Amino acid sequence: MAVMNEASRPVAQEPSRAPVSLLVDCDTGIDDALALVYLCSQPHVELAAVTATPGNVGVDQVARNTLAVLELCGRGDVPVAVGARAPLRVPLVTSPETHGPQGIGHAELPPPRRAPEPRDAVGLWVELARARPGELTALLTAPLTNFALALRAEPRLPELLAGVVIMGGAYNHQGNTTPTAEWNTHVDPHAAAEVFAAYAGQPPGRLPVVCALEVTERIEMRPEHVAALAEAARCAGPELVLPDQAEGTRSRASSPLVRHVSDMLRFYFEFHRRYDQGYIAHVHDYFAASVAAGTARYAARAAAVHVETEARRLVGTTVADFRGLWGEPPSARIVSENHPEEAFAELVSAVGALARRLG
Ligand code: RIB
Ligand code: CA
């Protein structure tokens, strides 16, 4: 029997509105879009750049969705760049059944007026991190391909970044892509393995804060949250997204932002129902964005993380050693406690206010 070391203890984090500058990498899909909308609603959050990784949809569609969502929120100023076009080693698998063929559910966003930056996302990450040492927090809500490539290009990233928040993995929790693997780590398991290896042994305050399925599936959006959002936006009438309505029914909300968010989420509700999870939507990336923005209350525990890349049935599976049984230093701080009702109160209030500002 291995020596049972003392398990790492949860460290609590209280909410804050202190200024935050983010580098975001996403695979804009529905919950990535909601995360971006939320971040645009936060005056204390600077979006230094948003970069695209293939995942939910192909990378060009990710970039188009990201540009369109930012413009919808009045943020056509934020640079968007494309990086990797496929995972490091395995073929790209996308998930049109989860996020829709275009990745944003039933929403039909106005085509973006801008194109992505001509420069590569990875070079942009490295340049900004070197130019602003200690200032930028990384938020990763996609497979970790671009982040792994950035760490290869600049191994000092853990020292140069102010912090890292990752949506990814499932620790002692059922996977959502295979019985044991979560989508982001399954799409690019080698990138995830490289990222955690790069952070192993870093000082605790620099370790990535990891929002995994055991806590992100608690952020379960329901139709009443969409109704509350429309009310907070002072829409002309109630926003009813109901399970007995025809699939694909389009919103007629008076606020364009609420209308498009409602059309995205309806698709997500229909997907979760189709897979016996109820007429709900796990908005994983919104929770990770609230952690990165500093507005979430949570607790996290240090652990050494392993990402399986070889065993065929277990590829992408993440395992956390909270007790030091492997004799390896921690490589992550895994969120172990969050507060869904607070998260939704924050989302409705913040995005409702943004919708009012946008008109
Ligand atoms: O497993 C959930 C994650 O996979 C989220 O980031 C979602 O957008 C998908 O990318
Ligand atoms: Ca995502």
Side-chain angles (χ1 to χ4, degrees):
M1 171 94 171
V3 172
M4 295 299 278
N5 301 333
E6 186 176 348
S8 60
R9 297 190 182 290
V11 175
Q13 181 66 48
E14 292 303 313
S16 157
R17 302 265 177 196
V20 172
S21 296
L22 296 182
L23 276 173
V24 182
D25 189 83
C26 50
D27 61 335
T28 309
I30 296 168
D31 59 331
D32 304 76
L34 189 64
L36 290 171
V37 169
Y38 174 70
L39 293 174
C40 289
S41 77
Q42 296 299 297
H44 72 286
V45 172
E46 174 202 1
L47 291 174
V50 181
T51 55
T53 288
N56 291 324
V57 288
V59 73
D60 294 322
Q61 188 64 53
V62 171
R64 266 192 300 275
N65 293 345
T66 301
L67 287 161
V69 169
L70 290 169
E71 285 179 20
L72 179 68
C73 296
R75 297 306 311 275
D77 59 302
V78 176
V80 173
V82 170
R85 304 193 68 81
L88 295 184
R89 292 196 219 169
V90 296
L92 173 64
V93 174
T94 58
S95 61
E97 74 287 347
T98 309
H99 294 266
Q102 308 302 317
I104 44 176
H106 296 305
E108 294 170 71
L109 294 176
R113 289 187 295 274
R114 290 187 303 157
E117 301 292 306
R119 55 173 320 158
D120 171 74
V122 176
L124 182 60
W125 270 66
V126 172
E127 178 194 309
L128 287 171
R130 286 174 179 161
R132 300 178 62 179
E135 289 183 29
L136 300 174
T137 296
L139 168 62
L140 297 314
T141 65
L144 292 169
T145 316
N146 277 343
F147 195 46
L149 291 171
L151 283 160
R152 286 183 185 177
E154 178 47 273
R156 294 181 302 134
L157 264 188
E159 292 82 64
L160 293 172
L161 292 171
V164 179
V165 177
I166 292 172
M167 192 282 135
Y171 302 87
N172 308 316
H173 188 83
Q174 179 86 4
N176 65 356
T177 304
T178 70
T180 58
E182 178 275 326
W183 171 259
N184 287 332
T185 57
H186 187 263
V187 167
D188 195 340
H190 300 93
E194 285 193 22
V195 167
F196 289 114
Y199 273 87
Q202 287 288 339
R206 277 196 197 137
L207 295 177
V209 176
V210 176
C211 307
L213 292 185
E214 58 270 28
V215 293
T216 63
E217 286 185 349
R218 300 182 72 229
I219 310 300
E220 193 169 88
M221 196 149 188
R222 299 186 300 273
E224 53 263 39
H225 294 127
V226 182
L229 174 57
E231 194 174 336
R234 297 202 188 111
C235 284
E239 183 64 13
L240 302 176
V241 182
L242 303 173
D244 55 359
Q245 291 170 332
E247 291 206 345
T249 299
R250 290 300 194 275
S251 167
R252 304 165 65 85
S254 55
S255 153
L257 179 59
V258 171
R259 186 162 67 249
H260 292 306
V261 166
S262 180
D263 285 343
M264 289 184 209
L265 286 166
R266 180 187 292 272
F267 187 98
Y268 223 13
F269 292 152
E270 292 162 1
F271 164 78
H272 285 79
R273 174 173 60 184
R274 204 168 300 128
Y275 288 81
D276 301 326
Q277 300 185 66
Y279 200 66
I280 56 97
H282 295 140
V283 286
H284 313 273
D285 296 341
Y286 157 62
F287 176 66
S290 69
V291 169
T295 53
R297 185 161 65 94
Y298 67 92
R301 298 175 63 194
V305 169
H306 170 77
V307 184
E308 183 53 42
T309 58
E310 302 308 322
R312 188 173 59 81
R313 286 193 173 212
L314 297 176
V315 167
T317 299
T318 50
V319 181
D321 175 8
F322 293 103
R323 290 182 177 277
L325 297 177
W326 287 327
E328 294 170 8
S331 47
R333 288 174 286 170
I334 298 171
V335 176
S336 54
E337 181 188 314
N338 64 352
H339 304 276
E341 288 318 305
E342 291 175 14
F344 283 113
E346 168 66 14
L347 177 69
V348 167
S349 162
V351 175
L354 175 62
R356 291 201 305 273
R357 291 197 297 273
L358 292 170

